[in-house]
Amino acid sequence: MSHLLVLTARLTLGFVWIMAACAKFANWNQRRDAVEEFGILSGRPASVIGSLLPAAELVLGLLILTGTFRTVAAVASAVLLGCFTVLMAVGLLRGRSFSCYCFGRPSATPVSWATVARNLPLILLAVFLVVARSDYLALDHLRVAGAAQVTEPP
């Protein structure tokens, strides 16, 4: 598998997560609204999830970007993106009109099937990173190589 293809996938997904997290941190006061818009949680639970989400996105972005715990980070990315996608689809199927706070503030247009479709390539990137076997410019490679050197007998 092409090392550059895997690196491009890591850079793309990592930067998407980091941009989303930074935008949410910049619009911190809207974190509860962002969760409540989905129509599943409200009040304190929405505030808690809204507060944890930017940190989780930032951590995922950094892990994927640096290639640290990359399989775990890629699986978590696929799951989180899948959850977002399902929540948007359920809202649309229920006939709700709501904004996407994907990048920190409400979008000018409500969530649509195009918004749902936009997540699918990101989910595919995450799944690709789960199955891709490339250590190219990944810190995991250094961590695993360093552990092997420490555990080998003299």
Side-chain angles (χ1 to χ4, degrees):
M1 183 158 317
S2 168
H3 297 301
L4 290 179
L5 185 60
V6 174
L7 181 61
T8 301
R10 279 187 24 228
L11 291 173
T12 302
L13 191 57
F15 279 123
V16 166
W17 279 130
I18 290 170
M19 287 178 2
C22 290
K24 286 179 182 80
F25 282 125
N27 293 289
W28 187 252
N29 293 332
Q30 295 180 333
R31 67 191 184 281
R32 181 172 152 184
D33 296 339
V35 175
E36 286 181 345
E37 283 277 335
F38 281 97
I40 305 294
L41 297 173
S42 61
R44 180 105 174 114
S47 276
V48 170
I49 296 296
S51 297
L52 294 175
L53 191 56
E57 291 175 340
L58 182 62
V59 168
L60 284 175
L62 291 172
L63 290 175
I64 287 173
L65 206 59
T66 61
T68 309
F69 301 107
R70 64 187 187 280
T71 302
V72 172
V75 168
S77 292
V79 168
L80 190 54
L81 286 164
C83 288
F84 291 154
T85 305
V86 167
L87 288 172
M88 285 188 279
V90 166
L92 289 171
L93 289 171
R94 289 182 176 171
R96 297 189 68 247
S97 178
F98 55 99
S99 292
C100 176
Y101 286 76
C102 300
F103 291 97
R105 53 176 62 127
S107 55
T109 57
V111 168
S112 67
W113 289 107
T115 315
V116 173
R118 178 189 67 197
N119 276 6
L120 298 179
L122 295 174
I123 293 170
L124 289 175
L125 277 178
V127 170
F128 171 72
L129 290 174
V130 170
V131 298
R133 299 284 180 225
S134 173
D135 292 326
Y136 186 65
L137 296 179
L139 293 182
D140 260 0
H141 178 67
L142 298 175
R143 185 176 51 85
V144 172
Q149 290 174 356
V150 170
T151 59
E152 289 180 15

